[in-house]
Structure formats: structure tokens, C-alpha cells
């Protein structure tokens, strides 16, 4: 039998040994968020061991280089975890540079009183170091402008601001799917490549292989020049010779084997003539027919574009599944350099069958309120960071929108309000009169000055809206609506769709759009037409509204705009 006293001592040692903080499920390290975001700031974990991985925000040696303080961040939280490494554990010079990746095993401890940290990690072993040369690392710990960071989109997510934006963006995306699933909507993936222009503005990126194929052909023709007329004649003469041989063998009553072999040779010669003739016709450049680009030779055998909206396609599913939404990238080849435009951006586009404009407005309002409350409930730490660094009013703005009924005014009423403001001495850069498309300054006046809350403007003039919006009985306006919010202006644009076949056909004609690309869309009106409505929310604009940032290029991971498509 074993020694009972020794066993008792071993058991006692086991009870006193530090426990380990649970690792992330799919990683061998403890997320920093699970330590510092606890209600006690992590102090309740003191005395436990943990493996931490992250990137050094700031590092400094102390006590005559006896140890180093590292502020580590792994992106799971806005906050950092302080790690103390003694010189006996690792070469400190390799750890302190900003941007260095470090994985350490250590013991969580309560720091000395008077420090802002509630817990810190005393490193016992350094398991990994991803070194950084401070002289070459482009993101030093000094304050950097957001404009500067756009030149380093592959690294800027390591900064406090962009990582906070990424977590807010993620929260809003999750909230979007949660909201629509909660209300019985189905998520539909609409095509990125399309042959129809939803907006009718023509500012679309074309998808084509004609240029790459033309370059490939030109290179091939240089290396292997096409056959000349003499080459073609020679190939035809060779066919005649082979044909004569077959005739001679048949006249001489040669064996089937001999005749068969000669016939095969003749067939090969004829095939070769076809190839030679076809290749002799090849010319460098884009293929044309009647002086125009021959899109029949393109990859899709017709003109194709990157989509500006998934709305038209998702309508086809609404007309079968009732409540649907799409959430994906959209593209616009608008040569705009403003702080509100991107060439690639994301849209959330629900579509509801058996719904009118009022239902559409109700859904849009409920969705925006849900997004705002979601950030307050699930992303408050990052929102506090944005309030501290960029926009002191951003949290109050979210609370106001989440809890306040939206104002609803017709377009005509909105114009009357703006005209009244002008008469009272307010100056706008853009003229105010019935029939104009409201400018951002008009939208912000309504939301920030007149009503000081979100505003839904509805029933716009038909001449400034898309062909698919339902024509009202006055024949001058359409059942369209825009949700306007403080800070941003237009956040959502939507409408009841035109379900009457004859009316929408006339609208296409009036606007000058050819009906052929939209025949499938018209089929939705021909076969089982139904009243339906929907809207589109510009996802990046929602993030601008939430965070208070000024430029839309800073709220999308990899911004694309005129002259820039990095990575």
C-alpha cells in the first residue's frame, strides 16, 4: 500500500495549485475580453493561470531593464491587458516594440493599489514572438489620422479606432440577421453579376472578359502569326490531293483497309482546313459587329455588370416566399470623392409581399430602432470609445433614436418647411422648390434643426424616383419614402413597388429604359401580381450614424473609391 501521509500532502498541493482560466473553444489562448470585460474587471480571476495572445499596443522596460510592461490587445475588446515580463523570462528588447505579437503563459494577479488596471498577468513563459522592426513598422504608437491609415488598410485594423469600428460593424450585421429572422424574413443571396440596371442611372461597373481575351489573342498572334491566304490555299490543295487518292483507291478496287486509311487522312486534312481558315480570320482587338462591340463573344454572351442593388432580384422571391431580405455588396461607378460615397458598399434590402407604403415605413422604423438598441445593449464599450474620441453625442443619439417615434411628413410638407426656413433667413447651397431631390443639407435641417429626431419623408415626385415605385393617384408622385436621421441624412430609401403591369410598362417607356432586360421583372406583374414594398439601408451609412465618424471610407474594412482599390 502507498504512504497515506504522502498521498495527503500531494492532495493538499493539488488543491493549492492555481487553476486555469478556460481557453477559447477553438484556440489555445484565453480571449482578453473574457478577463477584462467581467463586471469585476477580471480581479475575481486573480490567482488563476492563463495563456494570453495579442499584439503589443505599448511596451516599456522598467526598473533598469529588470522587467517590461506590455499592453496587449487581441481585438476581442477595446481594452488591453497589462502583462509584466521579467528579463529572466525573455529578452525584453524583442517584446516591447508596438505591433509585436506575443503569446505568454502567466499568472493573473491583483496589481498594486493606485493603478487603473483591475488585474494583470505576470508572465512565466513566453511561447511565441512575432517581432517588429520599429524603424519600419508604419503604425507607431503616436496618434495617427484616419486619412493616413487608409494607406495601410491591411494593418489599420490593429488600431483602436478601426478595431472598434469592426466590432460595431459586426454587431450591426448580427443585429440585422437577428431582426429579420425574428420577424419571419428569409435571407436570400441575390446575384452580384447582373444584366439589369436597378436605378437606371447607368453608373455601373461592366463585367467582361473581352479585354483579357483580346490581350491574350494579341500575344498569341505575335508569337504564332495567323495563316496567310497562301497557307489556306495550300491546306485546300492538300485536301484535294487526299481526295484524289481516295478516288484512285476506289477505282482500283483496293482493300477496305487501304480505302479506310485514306478516308481518315482526307478527314484530317478537311479538319485542318477548317482550323486554318478559322485562325486566318483572327484579328487583334475587341471583336465587333456592325461597328459595335460584339458582346455575343463575351463570357456571358451579353453585357453584364456588377449590381447596384439586389432589389429587383429579391422581389422575385418576395413574390413567392412573402417576406425576404438580401444583405450583400453593391457597386456604383460614380466618380465621386465625397465623404459619403464608395464604389463598393453594402446594402440591406428587405422586401415584403402583401404590404403597402405604411407597412414599409413601419418596418424601416422598427429595424433602425432595433439596430440602435442592439448597440446599446451589446456594444457599449466600443460606443463609449467612439464617444470619447470622436463624437460625444453618439450614445445619446442612439438612445434618442431607439426610444423616439419617427416624424412622418410628405415630400410636399417637407418642401414647405424648407421654403419657410429660407423665407426666415436660412441659407441653403441648393435651391429649394417642389420637384427637387432633397440634398443632404435639407435632410439634416429637417432632422437636426426642425424636428431634432428621425424623419420619414414620403410621396416623392415621380420624375426624381425610379421606375419601379408605385404611381400615386395624383399621377405626380410615387409611393416612395426615405428615412432621414441626424448626422447622416438619408439612411434608408424605399417604396411600395408598382404591381400594375400596364403602369410599369408605361413608366419604363417614359424614362427611356428598354423593356427587354426587364421582361423577367415584368413577368412578376404578369403572373400572380401582388402588392409589395421594400427598402434599402446603406450599411456603411448606418455605421457612420452610430459611430459619429465623418468619412465612409473609415467604416468599411477595404474601401474602394475612385483611384483606390487596395488589396
Amino acid at each position: 500500500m502507498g504512504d497515506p501521509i504522502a498521498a495527503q500532502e500531494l492532495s493538499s498541493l493539488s488543491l493549492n495549485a492555481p487553476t486555469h482560466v478556460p481557453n477559447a473553444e477553438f484556440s489555445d489562448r484565453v480571449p482578453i475580453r473574457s478577463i477584462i470585460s467581467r463586471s469585476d474587471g477580471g480581479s475575481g480571476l486573480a490567482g488563476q493561470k492563463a495563456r494570453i495572445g495579442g499584439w503589443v499596443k505599448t511596451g516599456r522596460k522598467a526598473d533598469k531593464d529588470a522587467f517590461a510592461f506590455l499592453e496587449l490587445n487581441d481585438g476581442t475588446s477595446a481594452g488591453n491587458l497589462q502583462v509584466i515580463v521579467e528579463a529572466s523570462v525573455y529578452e525584453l528588447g524583442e517584446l516591447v516594440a508596438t505591433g509585436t505579437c506575443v503569446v505568454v503563459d502567466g499568472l493573473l494577479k491583483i496589481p498594486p493599489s493606485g493603478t487603473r488596471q483591475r488585474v494583470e498577468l505576470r508572465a512565466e513563459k513566453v511561447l511565441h514572438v512575432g517581432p517588429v522592426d520599429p524603424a519600419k513598422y508604419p503604425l507607431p504608437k503616436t496618434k495617427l489620422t484616419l486619412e493616413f491609415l487608409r494607406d495601410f488598410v491591411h494593418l489599420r485594423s490593429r488600431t483602436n479606432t478601426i478595431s472598434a469600428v469592426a466590432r460595431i460593424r459586426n454587431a450591426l450585421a448580427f443585429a440585422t440577421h437577428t431582426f429579420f429572422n425574428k420577424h419571419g424574413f428569409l435571407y436570400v443571396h441575390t446575384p452580384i453579376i447582373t444584366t439589369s440596371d436597378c436605378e437606371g442611372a447607368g453608373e455601373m461597373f461592366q463585367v467582361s472578359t473581352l479585354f483579357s481575351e483580346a490581350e491574350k489573342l494579341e500575344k498569341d498572334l505575335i508569337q504564332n502569326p495567323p495563316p496567310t491566304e497562301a497557307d489556306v490555299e495550300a491546306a485546300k490543295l492538300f485536301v484535294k490531293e487526299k481526295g484524289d487518292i481516295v478516288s484512285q483507291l476506289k477505282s482500283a478496287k483496293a482493300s477496305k483497309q487501304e480505302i479506310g486509311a485514306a478516308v481518315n487522312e482526307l478527314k484530317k486534312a478537311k479538319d485542318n482546313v477548317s482550323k486554318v481558315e478559322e485562325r486566318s480570320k483572327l484579328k487583334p482587338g475587341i471583336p465587333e459587329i456592325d461597328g459595335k462591340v460584339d458582346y455575343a463573344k463575351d463570357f456571358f454572351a451579353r453585357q453584364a455588370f456588377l449590381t447596384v442593388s439586389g432589389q429587383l432580384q429579391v422581389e422575385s422571391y418576395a413574390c413567392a416566399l412573402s417576406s425576404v431580405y438580401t444583405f450583400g455588396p453593391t457597386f456604383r461607378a460614380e466618380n465621386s470623392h465625397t465623404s459619403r460615397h464608395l464604389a463598393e458598399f453594402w446594402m440591406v434590402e428587405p422586401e415584403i409581399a402583401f404590404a403597402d407604403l405604411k407597412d414599409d415605413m413601419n418596418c424601416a422604423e422598427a429595424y433602425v430602432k432595433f439596430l440602435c438598441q442592439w448597440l446599446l445593449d451589446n456594444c457599449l464599450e466600443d460606443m463609449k470609445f467612439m464617444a470619447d474620441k470622436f463624437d460625444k453625442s453618439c450614445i445619446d443619439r442612439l438612445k434618442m433614436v431607439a426610444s423616439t417615434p419617427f416624424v412622418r411628413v410628405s415630400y410636399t410638407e417637407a418642401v414647405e418647411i424648407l421654403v419657410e426656413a429660407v423665407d426666415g433667413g436660412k441659407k441653403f447651397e441648393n435651391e429649394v422648390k417642389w420637384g427637387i431631390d432633397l440634398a443632404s443639407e435639407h435632410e439634416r435641417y429637417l432632422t437636426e434643426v426642425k424636428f431634432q429626431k428621425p424623419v420619414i419623408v414620403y410621396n416623392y415626385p415621380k420624375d426624381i424616383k425610379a421606375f419601379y415605385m408605385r404611381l400615386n393617384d395624383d399621377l405626380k408622385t410615387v409611393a416612395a419614402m426615405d428615412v432621414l436621421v441626424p448626422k447622416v441624412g438619408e439612411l434608408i430609401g424605399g417604396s411600395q413597388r408598382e404591381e400594375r403591369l400596364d403602369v410599369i410598362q408605361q413608366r419604363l417607356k417614359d424614362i427611356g429604359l428598354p423593356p427587354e432586360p426587364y421582361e423577367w421583372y415584368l413577368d412578376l406583374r404578369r403572373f400572380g401580381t401582388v402588392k409589395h414594398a421594400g427598402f434599402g439601408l446603406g450599411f456603411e451609412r448606418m455605421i457612420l450614424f452610430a459611430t459619429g465618424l465623418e468619412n465612409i471610407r473609415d467604416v468599411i474594412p477595404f474601401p474602394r473609391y475612385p483611384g483606390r482599390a487596395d488589396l
Side-chain angles (χ1 to χ4, degrees):
M1 291 181 64
D3 184 346
I5 296 175
Q8 187 176 358
E9 288 176 349
L10 184 61
S11 174
S12 174
L13 285 171
S14 259
L15 289 171
N16 293 327
T19 56
H20 285 259
V21 182
N23 284 343
E25 188 173 359
F26 304 114
S27 176
D28 66 347
R29 63 82 168 89
V30 179
I32 289 175
R33 176 183 175 84
S34 66
I35 296 174
I36 65 173
S37 293
R38 289 164 47 109
S39 58
D40 61 8
S43 59
L45 298 174
Q48 296 192 44
K49 289 195 171 188
R51 175 171 294 174
I52 299 297
W55 289 264
V56 175
K57 288 291 185 180
T58 62
R60 62 182 177 87
K61 299 177 186 178
D63 196 17
K64 298 181 179 179
D65 296 352
F67 59 90
F69 291 104
L70 307 179
E71 291 286 328
L72 280 197
N73 186 285
D74 64 359
T76 59
S77 167
N80 306 322
L81 178 67
Q82 181 168 277
V83 177
I84 299 172
V85 186
E86 294 182 357
S88 59
V89 174
Y90 204 86
E91 170 54 49
L92 302 182
E94 296 181 23
L95 304 178
V96 295
T98 297
T100 302
C101 183
V102 178
V103 180
V104 299
D105 281 341
L107 185 67
L108 291 167
K109 292 192 172 185
I110 302 292
S113 59
T115 59
R116 61 182 177 84
Q117 294 87 7
R118 304 283 293 279
V119 71
E120 63 187 16
L121 186 81
R122 298 294 181 95
E124 297 174 339
K125 187 176 183 181
V126 176
L127 303 171
H128 167 79
V129 176
V132 162
D133 181 348
K136 296 180 180 179
Y137 187 56
L139 305 181
K141 61 184 179 182
T142 54
K143 188 172 182 180
L144 304 168
T145 67
L146 294 175
E147 186 175 11
F148 171 83
L149 291 175
R150 289 175 213 144
D151 290 331
F152 301 96
V153 292
H154 58 300
L155 296 173
R156 69 175 184 168
S157 54
R158 299 186 185 188
T159 64
N160 293 334
T161 299
I162 301 302
S163 60
V165 169
R167 288 186 292 269
I168 290 169
R169 186 183 178 101
N170 171 73
L172 289 170
F174 191 81
T176 292
H177 292 299
T178 302
F179 175 83
F180 288 113
N181 273 276
K182 176 182 174 184
H183 292 285
F185 285 69
L186 295 180
Y187 180 29
V188 177
H189 297 140
T190 51
I192 288 174
I193 298 173
T194 180
T195 56
S196 50
D197 182 357
C198 176
E199 300 299 324
E203 295 164 339
M204 303 176 76
F205 288 103
Q206 193 160 334
V207 177
S208 175
T209 59
L210 289 178
F211 290 95
S212 58
E213 290 297 325
E215 288 176 0
K216 192 188 302 180
L217 175 61
E218 187 172 3
K219 186 177 180 181
D220 178 49
L221 292 177
I222 291 172
Q223 294 176 346
N224 304 291
T228 63
E229 287 186 22
D231 294 329
V232 175
E233 289 303 317
K236 289 179 177 178
L237 183 60
F238 189 63
V239 168
K240 184 177 182 306
E241 291 173 357
K242 292 298 182 182
D244 290 343
I245 291 173
V246 170
S247 298
Q248 291 168 8
L249 289 172
K250 286 181 177 179
S251 297
K253 296 184 179 179
S255 67
K256 287 184 179 180
Q257 188 175 358
E258 284 182 296
I259 294 173
V263 168
N264 283 336
E265 288 295 318
L266 175 60
K267 186 179 178 182
K268 288 179 184 178
K270 287 181 176 179
D271 288 342
N272 182 57
V273 165
S274 297
K275 291 177 182 178
V276 169
E277 284 184 321
E278 184 178 352
R279 186 166 174 79
S280 70
K281 296 174 184 176
L282 292 177
K283 296 178 181 179
I286 304 296
E288 293 185 353
I289 184 169
D290 297 331
K292 297 180 180 180
V293 176
D294 185 5
Y295 286 106
K297 299 287 197 303
D298 207 348
F299 186 89
F300 293 108
R302 61 192 298 186
Q303 273 188 292
F305 308 91
L306 295 180
T307 185
V308 298
S309 168
Q311 178 210 310
L312 299 188
Q313 288 84 358
V314 87
E315 277 188 55
S316 69
Y317 271 70
C319 293
L321 304 177
S322 296
S323 295
V324 296
Y325 73 106
T326 184
F327 180 12
T330 52
F331 308 84
R332 189 156 301 177
E334 184 178 0
N335 192 21
S336 172
H337 294 266
T338 75
S339 61
R340 292 289 184 271
H341 289 89
L342 289 167
E344 175 184 297
F345 52 98
W346 285 63
M347 292 286 289
V348 179
E349 298 176 290
E351 198 73 27
I352 319 165
F354 311 101
D356 59 17
L357 184 63
K358 184 178 178 181
D359 299 315
D360 203 32
M361 291 190 285
N362 290 342
C363 181
E365 180 171 343
Y367 172 46
V368 173
K369 286 176 177 289
F370 186 88
L371 292 181
C372 293
Q373 191 60 51
W374 186 275
L375 288 181
L376 294 169
D377 294 340
N378 299 282
C379 221
L380 192 56
E381 180 186 26
D382 288 309
M383 287 307 307
K384 285 180 177 177
F385 172 84
M386 302 310 294
D388 179 51
K389 301 297 183 184
F390 294 98
D391 183 355
K392 290 181 171 53
S393 64
C394 65
I395 292 177
D396 290 336
R397 191 165 59 245
L398 289 179
K399 290 178 179 177
M400 181 271 290
V401 173
S403 61
T404 305
F406 293 8
V407 174
R408 300 187 186 187
V409 297
S410 70
Y411 169 87
T412 300
E413 292 169 326
V415 170
E416 289 172 354
I417 291 169
L418 294 170
V419 168
E420 185 180 327
V422 171
D423 291 342
K426 173 67 179 174
K427 294 188 182 300
F428 292 112
E429 290 184 11
N430 298 275
E431 183 185 7
V432 177
K433 64 178 182 179
W434 201 95
I436 62 156
D437 200 0
L438 298 181
S440 179
E441 60 176 338
H442 303 143
E443 295 166 346
R444 294 188 65 174
Y445 176 83
L446 293 171
T447 59
E448 296 172 13
V449 179
K450 176 63 179 177
F451 296 109
Q452 298 180 2
K453 62 177 70 174
V455 178
I456 303 180
V457 179
Y458 61 92
N459 287 348
Y460 280 79
K462 68 174 183 178
D463 293 335
I464 61 172
K465 289 297 182 180
F467 73 92
Y468 52 75
M469 297 184 177
R470 195 181 200 278
L471 188 64
N472 288 326
D473 292 342
D474 62 12
L475 304 182
K476 295 190 302 181
T477 62
V478 288
M481 66 90 180
D482 288 345
V483 178
L484 315 178
V485 294
K487 182 74 180 178
V488 169
E490 182 188 341
L491 179 63
I492 282 176
S495 73
Q496 183 175 338
R497 317 310 190 189
E498 183 56 77
E499 85 281 9
R500 298 164 295 185
L501 177 62
D502 57 334
V503 177
I504 198 168
Q505 285 176 322
Q506 186 60 46
R507 290 279 286 146
L508 279 169
K509 185 177 180 181
D510 292 344
I511 292 173
L513 288 174
E516 291 78 14
Y518 300 99
E519 283 300 325
W520 67 270
Y521 188 67
L522 298 178
D523 277 351
L524 302 180
R525 279 75 181 163
R526 291 188 181 102
F527 310 127
T529 190
V530 63
K531 174 178 67 175
H532 60 291
F535 61 82
L537 173 136
F539 196 59
E540 284 73 30
R541 288 195 175 192
M542 180 64 208
I543 303 169
L544 279 181
F545 166 74
T547 61
L549 291 179
E550 296 294 335
N551 200 305
I552 202 166
R553 298 171 185 178
D554 301 320
V555 297
I556 190 168
F558 303 99
R560 273 83 175 94
Y561 49 95
R564 297 296 292 267
D566 299 342
L567 280 63

